[in-house]
Amino acid sequence: MRRNASISISARCFVPAFLAGLLCSGIANTGVAHEGHEHSSETLVAKSSATDPNLPSTFQIGDVTYAWKHRADLGQQSDALAAAAKGGLHNNADQDPVTKEVVTVVSRHGLVALDADLKSWSLVENQDPKFAEGMNSHGTDCFLFDDESYWAFASTNTGEVVLSKRGEVVAVLTSPKGGEFENETINKYYADGGKFAPCDVVFAPEAESLIVVTGYAPGDYALTAKFVDGNWKWTGAAWGGKTSQGGPFATAHGVEVTTIDGDEVIEVASRAHGRVYGFDAKGEMQKLPGTTEEKFIQLPPRSNPCNLALFGNEMYLPLLNPLADSNGVAPVLIVADGKPVGRLVPADYDGLQYMHHMHGFCAVERDGKLFGIALSWRNGGENQKGKRNDGQIAIFEAVAAE
């Protein structure tokens, strides 16, 4: 975990113990660094088992194949939460760096937290009424700032970024007015009344900045906000733009922060063309490990990432739509060194057959074991045509496959 005088990166930033066991047994680490820790230049051999139709939900590290086990005993929900999620879950979740709770906002239900033991979800006590009034957490980030824990939510439903301290709203960022950023094209877009639709948010501790991506709008940008004179404000770097306008993005949809070769890198998942880009905090494109001179990671055909999660040396990308070989339902794609190394297909599990469109994924470690909290999105149009799919939350454990 990296620290400076006032900031600490999220507690997700460590080598997971189940991987550390492999490293101690003589398997070398990868040159990629995610979530605030660095690795040596040696290479961890990662082989893909995702193409094996008998193992649709596995990933492999070294000589060990891991399978995802659905833990139906974890993540218990109230009837009200399950009903609200089923009808409109369009979310991601993240882990509080101090309490280890996993949090998200369910539209028309409220701010909910999964306890540190992953046993059950409950409404956060004494939360601001705003959380139950229609906002969602299309993107979520929990982070430490000035030694305090913040929960940030990018709400596509209400067009705002909401920052809170355990349910107490401390800031709401709405559309920029124009003039806040170093990029005059982006300033003009907002000065002319351009749509603001935040898809995801992450805190970059070295830059002391919130980075927000806005893919659901003609202005397909990455925007910066900072804590200035006691308030969170839009200011500083902004970059991007749609491919049709000469930019790199085709619906920037997920954003995370990592460290590569000692430098803080902002990673952006761009949905429509299935790519992951890296940038510094000023918007200069950075080469991601495993990429060519193009710098970005090109995901397999049909990949439409709705979010981006980092844990250990892997990226976890919940996909909106099925891949050619995922039996008509969408997976969570697992990528290392720019290449797919496995997947999780929630709809393949008993009782989860209606998790057709993956939207969120949060990877956490408990007692040396890796768990994944997967969130699916309900497609109302498909439901009207008789193809049922639900908004659901399910928890999986990574276990060594026999």
Side-chain angles (χ1 to χ4, degrees):
M1 185 178 291
R2 294 179 294 129
R3 294 181 182 273
N4 63 25
S6 62
I7 303 169
S8 170
I9 196 168
S10 163
R12 296 171 307 210
C13 311
F14 51 83
V15 177
F18 89 102
L19 287 176
L22 292 177
L23 302 179
C24 293
S25 66
I27 299 176
N29 210 339
T30 166
V32 189
H34 288 309
E35 291 290 291
H37 67 272
E38 295 203 48
H39 301 293
S40 70
S41 60
E42 296 177 294
T43 301
L44 172 69
V45 179
K47 300 177 181 178
S48 174
S49 58
T51 57
D52 183 344
N54 297 314
L55 295 172
S57 291
T58 65
F59 61 100
Q60 187 161 337
I61 300 176
D63 295 327
V64 181
T65 298
Y66 290 91
W68 290 103
K69 176 183 178 181
H70 177 216
R71 291 293 304 270
D73 57 313
L74 300 179
Q76 299 303 304
Q77 304 170 35
S78 68
D79 292 343
L81 170 57
K86 178 179 176 181
L89 194 67
H90 195 199
N91 285 26
N92 201 10
D94 198 20
Q95 177 177 250
D96 182 275
V98 177
T99 68
K100 309 304 183 196
E101 296 164 290
V102 175
V103 300
T104 191
V105 180
V106 179
S107 182
R108 303 295 175 186
H109 182 73
L111 173 61
V112 295
L114 176 64
D115 62 83
D117 293 328
L118 309 182
K119 293 293 186 181
S120 62
W121 294 88
S122 61
L123 284 164
V124 174
E125 294 182 355
N126 302 316
Q127 62 180 271
D128 192 293
K130 182 178 186 65
F131 291 106
E133 291 175 350
M135 67 170 286
N136 68 331
S137 50
H138 190 278
T140 303
D141 191 53
C142 300
F143 62 94
L144 289 178
F145 180 71
D146 284 342
D147 295 322
E148 292 190 273
S149 181
Y150 285 77
W151 300 347
F153 307 100
S155 173
T156 55
N157 289 10
T158 55
E160 58 193 5
V161 178
V162 179
L163 282 81
S164 80
K165 295 180 181 179
R166 196 172 186 83
E168 176 192 354
V169 174
V170 297
V172 178
L173 292 170
T174 56
S175 179
K177 304 305 180 186
E180 296 96 335
F181 304 113
E182 297 167 1
N183 187 310
E184 290 307 316
T185 298
I186 296 176
N187 284 336
K188 185 177 187 306
Y189 170 82
Y190 287 111
D192 291 344
K195 181 181 178 181
F196 172 68
C199 288
D200 201 4
V201 55
V202 71
F203 182 71
E206 287 187 2
E208 301 188 18
S209 301
L210 285 171
I211 309 295
V212 176
V213 293
T214 63
Y216 276 175
D220 203 343
Y221 302 128
L223 310 176
T224 299
K226 291 178 176 286
F227 192 69
V228 180
D229 298 330
N231 295 292
W232 291 92
K233 299 179 180 179
W234 298 118
T235 186
W239 67 92
K242 287 195 180 296
T243 53
S244 59
Q245 301 168 7
F249 298 143
T251 312
H253 222 261
V255 62
E256 268 290 2
V257 63
T258 187
T259 302
I260 299 174
D261 295 331
D263 297 320
E264 187 172 73
V265 174
I266 312 302
E267 294 186 337
V268 178
S270 184
R271 192 181 73 182
H273 52 189
R275 294 175 181 173
V276 180
Y277 292 92
F279 303 90
D280 65 18
K282 291 293 186 181
E284 292 295 322
M285 194 177 295
Q286 305 296 301
K287 185 178 186 297
L288 296 180
T291 61
T292 65
E293 65 277 1
E294 290 180 320
K295 296 184 178 181
F296 59 81
I297 294 171
Q298 181 65 59
L299 302 174
R302 304 189 188 183
S303 295
N304 300 120
C306 284
N307 262 298
L308 170 64
L310 307 177
F311 188 90
N313 304 317
E314 283 71 49
M315 294 180 176
Y316 296 87
L317 297 139
L319 304 185
L320 177 65
N321 296 316
L323 297 177
D325 60 349
S326 62
N327 301 320
V329 292
V332 177
L333 185 67
I334 306 172
V335 172
D337 285 336
K339 305 296 182 184
V341 296
R343 64 179 66 175
L344 165 63
V345 187
D348 282 348
Y349 294 80
D350 289 344
L352 304 179
Q353 64 269 28
Y354 300 122
M355 294 183 74
H356 287 190
H357 304 280
M358 302 313 302
H359 198 275
F361 189 86
C362 179
V364 301
E365 185 182 26
R366 297 292 185 270
D367 298 324
K369 300 176 181 179
L370 176 67
F371 292 86
I373 296 95
L375 300 89
S376 68
W377 170 71
R378 177 182 184 267
N379 185 319
E382 288 184 354
N383 275 269
Q384 292 173 5
K385 296 177 182 178
K387 184 179 180 181
R388 180 181 171 185
N389 50 84
D390 296 341
Q392 291 181 254
I393 307 173
I395 299 179
F396 300 85
E397 178 186 349
V399 298
E402 297 180 358

